Amino acid sequence: MTEPMLPEAFKQKMEGLLEAEYSAFLASYGEERHYGLRVNTLKLSVEQFRGLTRLELEPVPWAGTGFYYREGDGRPGKHPHYHAGLYYIQEPSAMAPAELLDVRPGERVLDLCAAPGGKTTQLAAKLQGAGLIVANDVHPDRVKALVKNIELSGVRNAVVLNEDPAKLEGAFAGYFDKILIDAPCSGEGMFRKEEDMAKVWRPDWPEKYAEMQRMLLRQAAHMLKPGGLMVYSTCTFSPEENEAMIAAFLDEHPAFAVEPAPAFGGWAPGRPDWLGGRYARGA
């Protein structure tokens, strides 16, 4: 994908935010894309898979079961190993939220916006059959893909729901040890992968999605046990949906605090300075 296909309003916004870093950001759209897969340790170990496959794999630094593979290397989405559920094709960056949730066997875990199931199956593999994962999505058609991927991965301790989170809030008050909110968002981070996203994106989308995200965070907070851990993630660059969302949530929920994330190569911290001091507690 080339730079001219990006929406003009998006480019202007990012230039204002990134300043001296903007040129490097723009140039990244012309760089080679990274492809990734994640080994399903419910069916075999990483070592067993590496001995079985002919793919040339490089480890993803932040995901012990994740690997980069080369574009055109054996068409892994068509391979029998994929259809046997031995691995899941997943963007390396998309592996990060489930890793940060640090799920342990025996815990009760909620994936609130779960379809199509990549992060759900990643979390389930960490449970190793002990504990419970509740996977919810509000879209009936997307739940079909969620169920398919859960079954293909051999997950046996999952409950799949197609429900409004507002109804879950009462049924699961203070129930979960860990909660993942991979929130619906304006999708600015998807422009490189899905060029159609860039064509349909509108400047008012960040504010449109922000209201939904605020509600999801409030609902999830009621379902988390005291002392539990919640990870909020998006696939957008918009500070309205990221730094501002977390800062506003912290202002409303003084019992919560931000946990530091590991500093893997290529990762950058949040930018609360983009908020201009609008919130009492930074993101």
Side-chain angles (χ1 to χ4, degrees), residues 1-48:
M1 178 173 166
T2 57
E3 173 268 325
M5 297 189 69
L6 296 172
E8 192 61 35
F10 169 73
K11 290 192 290 183
Q12 292 174 3
K13 178 179 179 180
M14 295 307 297
E15 185 174 14
L17 291 171
L18 294 172
E19 298 177 334
E21 297 177 290
Y22 177 68
S23 295
F25 171 77
L26 209 57
S28 72
Y29 285 89
E31 295 174 2
E32 184 180 355
R33 180 182 157 191
H34 296 288
Y35 294 82
L37 61 83
R38 178 177 43 77
V39 178
N40 177 20
T41 52
L42 291 175
K43 293 196 171 183
L44 78 174
S45 69
V46 168
E47 292 74 19
Q48 287 171 326

Side-chain angles (χ1 to χ4, degrees), residues 160-257:
V160 179
L161 301 176
N162 173 216
E163 191 57 87
D164 185 334
K167 295 182 179 179
L168 301 182
E169 188 178 354
F172 291 105
Y175 183 79
F176 294 102
D177 299 289
K178 306 281 176 67
I179 297 177
L180 175 62
I181 311 167
D182 187 42
C185 68
S186 59
E188 295 168 358
M190 302 295 288
F191 291 171
R192 178 185 170 109
K193 179 182 176 184
E194 299 179 18
E195 295 187 24
D196 286 344
M197 287 288 295
K199 296 176 183 177
V200 301
W201 179 88
R202 295 292 178 269
D204 63 346
W205 277 16
E207 286 299 335
K208 169 188 169 183
Y209 281 98
E211 184 56 41
M212 182 193 313
Q213 293 156 356
R214 278 189 287 270
M215 186 59 65
L216 288 171
L217 274 165
R218 290 168 185 158
Q219 292 160 342
H222 286 122
M223 292 186 273
L224 189 67
K225 278 183 178 180
L229 182 64
M230 183 163 66
V231 167
Y232 170 82
S233 63
T234 72
C235 57
T236 190
F237 301 114
S238 161
E240 296 92 332
E241 301 171 77
N242 293 304
E243 287 88 351
M245 191 60 53
I246 298 302
F249 175 81
L250 292 174
D251 279 356
E252 293 179 3
H253 300 81
F256 284 75

Side-chain angles (χ1 to χ4, degrees), residues 108-132:
R108 295 187 290 206
V109 181
L110 171 64
D111 189 354
L112 190 57
C113 310
K119 296 175 181 68
T120 301
T121 54
Q122 187 177 0
L123 295 169
K126 293 181 178 298
L127 289 174
Q128 285 295 302
L132 172 70

